[in-house]
Amino acid sequence: MGQGRRKDFGEFTAKLEKHIEKLPDYAQRAQEKLQRYIPPSEQGSRPVTPAPPKPSRPRPQMPPMPAMPKISQQLTSMAAGQIPVVADAKAKWARWNEPAAKLERRKRRTSRALTFWILLTILCGLFAVVAGTGLLKAGQTDVLQAIAGGAFTIVFGTFGVRSGLRLRTLNRTVLPAAPAAPPPLPPARSVAREPMERLVESEASLAELLRQLSQPTSLGTMPVSEIAVADARTTAAEAAQALRGLAGRIQAIERGRDAAPERERGALDAAIKQLREQLDDGLDGYGGLVAAAGHTVAASSDGMTSSKESLSDATDKLAGLAMAMRELS
């Protein structure tokens, strides 16, 4: 039941983020439609000059119309980040599901249970002693009450011991290192957004292929050597980092272009186009490594060596390409 709720919440968040990313486009369309019905003299940010009042019925002065580009900029800034309410909810949900937070909640629950069982054990033990010594009924011992109190003391004491052992185990639990969070994608309006989405998909495919290459085949042999798989994984990580650095450089130039004068934007657009071509070349090289890994997995059951050699060749090519991209970024 909890997994279904998490899935629903994740789908709702994903749909909401898609609509937020499209807010600048919605604002641009609304602005274009609104400008059709606004006279050219009233489209600026200057206050509208009221018409001369009629003698019988004076016309009230209309307030100045707000500039539409400001609204578009606000929506763009909202889409570039996130709605504060959604961001806070996502942050709280992420903190709630962290392994450290889950472990801490288990410790608190176990500690409370241990305290509860200890108190019940003490109370039942005192009741058994009082009933057995006759202090409860003016010197008359009650064997049945003493036996019942002793039995409950043993039962609750057993629960207390189990809770104590569980708390001891939880205190000795060492959490694994948390995986690094995936880097955020560029804004929807950036030319680097689509290449970075392709990179994320390629990384997931390559990770699965390299995992299969790390496992022995049905014949009991390894498809490729562990060194080749490790080299491919390391080279892919370095190439992905270089590609993201190049995408970051594109975003920085885009921000500078938006703030630059109109006469300077042509040169910046040309630089962005050149860097986008280099980014596409890097993604093609990364895709070549993914394809080589796929051919190696497909040929591993037949014992073919040509695909295994192609994996090493693709790794070497991607390593050289990553070195060139690091110099650019």
Side-chain angles (χ1 to χ4, degrees):
M1 189 70 180
Q3 294 180 355
R5 291 179 179 176
R6 293 178 185 174
K7 184 177 180 182
D8 295 340
F9 185 81
E11 293 178 356
F12 171 75
T13 306
K15 292 180 181 179
L16 185 59
E17 288 180 351
K18 289 182 180 179
H19 289 293
I20 292 173
E21 291 175 357
K22 294 180 181 179
L23 283 178
D25 298 334
Y26 297 156
Q28 186 67 24
R29 294 175 186 174
Q31 180 179 357
E32 293 175 356
K33 292 182 179 180
L34 186 60
Q35 286 178 352
R36 298 177 185 176
Y37 304 98
I38 301 177
S41 60
E42 298 182 359
Q43 290 183 3
S45 59
R46 298 178 302 174
V48 180
T49 304
K54 296 181 180 181
S56 59
R57 206 171 191 181
R59 183 180 176 182
Q61 184 178 2
M62 299 296 293
M65 180 176 293
M68 292 304 296
K70 293 183 179 180
I71 300 177
S72 178
Q73 291 175 1
Q74 292 177 359
L75 294 177
T76 303
S77 61
M78 183 183 296
Q82 283 185 344
I83 297 177
V85 177
V86 177
D88 293 342
K90 289 181 64 176
K92 291 180 180 178
W93 183 258
R95 289 194 298 268
W96 175 267
N97 289 322
E98 287 180 355
K102 292 181 178 179
L103 180 61
E104 192 64 28
R105 289 196 298 270
R106 289 177 188 152
K107 289 181 180 179
R108 287 198 298 266
R109 288 195 297 266
T110 307
S111 177
R112 293 169 184 171
L114 176 61
T115 304
F116 178 73
W117 296 127
I118 289 176
L119 290 175
L120 288 180
T121 302
I122 293 174
L123 292 176
C124 292
L126 291 175
F127 178 78
V129 171
V130 170
T133 55
L135 298 177
L136 187 63
K137 294 184 178 180
Q140 297 180 2
T141 61
D142 194 334
V143 179
L144 293 178
Q145 291 182 357
I147 293 175
F152 280 112
T153 302
I154 295 174
V155 172
F156 294 146
T158 303
F159 289 154
V161 170
R162 292 182 60 183
S163 298
L165 293 176
R166 185 181 180 186
L167 182 60
R168 180 183 179 186
T169 303
L170 291 175
N171 289 329
R172 293 184 176 182
T173 301
V174 179
L175 294 175
L185 292 174
R189 301 180 63 181
S190 175
V191 298
R193 175 62 178 258
E194 188 268 339
M196 290 298 98
E197 291 178 346
R198 290 167 49 195
L199 177 61
V200 172
E201 296 176 358
S202 299
E203 284 180 323
S205 301
L206 183 61
E208 176 62 22
L209 292 172
L210 294 180
R211 185 188 66 81
Q212 295 183 10
L213 290 177
S214 302
Q215 298 176 354
T217 62
S218 58
L219 302 177
T221 58
M222 297 296 294
V224 293
S225 64
E226 297 180 358
I227 298 177
V229 175
D231 290 343
R233 185 177 288 110
T234 303
T235 302
E238 294 176 354
Q241 184 179 2
L243 288 170
R244 289 191 171 91
L246 196 58
R249 186 177 179 184
I250 291 176
Q251 295 178 64
I253 298 177
E254 287 176 341
R255 289 191 293 268
R257 178 200 58 189
D258 296 338
E262 189 68 27
R263 63 180 180 274
E264 301 291 341
R265 295 184 179 182
L268 295 176
D269 287 333
I272 292 174
K273 183 178 179 181
Q274 182 180 1
L275 290 177
R276 171 61 191 268
E277 293 176 356
Q278 296 172 356
L279 188 59
D280 291 336
D281 293 339
L283 284 171
D284 292 339
Y286 197 98
L289 179 58
V290 177
H295 291 312
T296 305
V297 172
S300 59
S301 59
D302 300 331
M304 298 175 61
T305 58
S306 58
S307 296
K308 301 176 184 178
E309 294 176 355
S310 66
L311 179 63
S312 300
D313 295 339
T315 302
D316 295 337
K317 292 179 181 178
L318 185 59
L321 188 60
M323 185 180 299
M325 287 186 296
R326 281 197 299 270
E327 294 177 356
L328 290 174
S329 59

